[in-house]
Amino acid sequence: MKSVYRVLAYLVALEVVVQAAAIAFAVAGLGAWISQGGVLDAAAMESESTEFTGVAGFMVHGINGQMILPLIALLLLLSSFFAGIPGGVLWAGLVLLTVVVQVLLGIFGHGAPVLGLLHGAVALVLFSLAVVAARRSETALRAADDVVAPGTAGVA
C-alpha cells in the first residue's frame, strides 16, 4: 500500500504540471488567435464554435482540475490510512485540502480575477506537498526493506 500511496502522490504532482501546461497552451493559443484578428467577447465565450489552437487547454484544465485531480487526492487520502507511512495521513490530508482550495480559487476566480494570483501560487504549494508526501513514502519503503536483512527474505 506504500507503493500505491507513492504513485498517487506523484500523480498529484504530475497533474499540477499538466494543469500548468494546459492553461499555458490555452492562453498562448488564445493570444495568437486574437493577434490574428479573432475577437473574444461574451458571444465568443458562450459559442460552441469558437476554435483556435489551444482551446482544448481550457477544457483539459477545467476537467482535470475539477474532477481528476480531486479524485486522485481523495484516493491518496484513503490509501494513507492503510499505507502505514509515518505522517502519511497528515500529508495526504494537506494535499486534499490544498486541492479543495485550488478548486474554489478556480471557480471564484471567474468573478474575482485577482484570485488567479493565489490560484497560481497555491498550485506551487500543492506540487510541493505532493512531492513531500511521495518522498516520505519512499523513506518508509526503504525503512521497510531494511527490516528484512539481505539474503534472509523468504527463509522460514
Side-chain angles (χ1 to χ4, degrees), residues 87-101:
V89 174
L90 172 67
W91 287 101
L94 289 172
V95 166
L96 182 59
L97 177 64
T98 307
V99 168
V100 169
V101 168

Side-chain angles (χ1 to χ4, degrees), residues 37-135:
V39 176
L40 183 65
D41 58 8
M45 289 181 75
E46 294 172 5
S47 170
E48 297 283 328
S49 63
T50 302
E51 285 292 324
F52 56 87
T53 301
V55 71
F58 286 117
M59 290 182 277
V60 168
H61 190 80
I63 292 169
N64 220 25
Q66 291 185 357
M67 295 180 356
I68 307 299
L69 193 48
L71 177 62
I72 296 170
L74 183 60
L75 290 172
L76 176 65
L77 181 62
L78 291 174
S79 72
S80 72
F81 293 109
F82 305 102
I85 296 169
V89 174
L90 172 67
W91 287 101
L94 289 172
V95 166
L96 182 59
L97 177 64
T98 307
V99 168
V100 169
V101 168
Q102 273 297 82
V103 170
L104 293 174
L105 286 170
I107 290 169
F108 293 119
H110 294 282
V114 72
L115 294 179
L117 293 170
L118 287 175
H119 188 68
V122 172
L124 297 175
V125 171
L126 176 57
F127 179 86
S128 299
L129 289 172
V131 169
V132 167
R135 297 298 304 236

Side-chain angles (χ1 to χ4, degrees), residues 1-6 78-85 141:
M1 194 52 88
K2 287 177 179 60
S3 294
V4 170
Y5 180 95
R6 183 188 67 206
L78 291 174
S79 72
S80 72
F81 293 109
F82 305 102
I85 296 169
L141 280 166

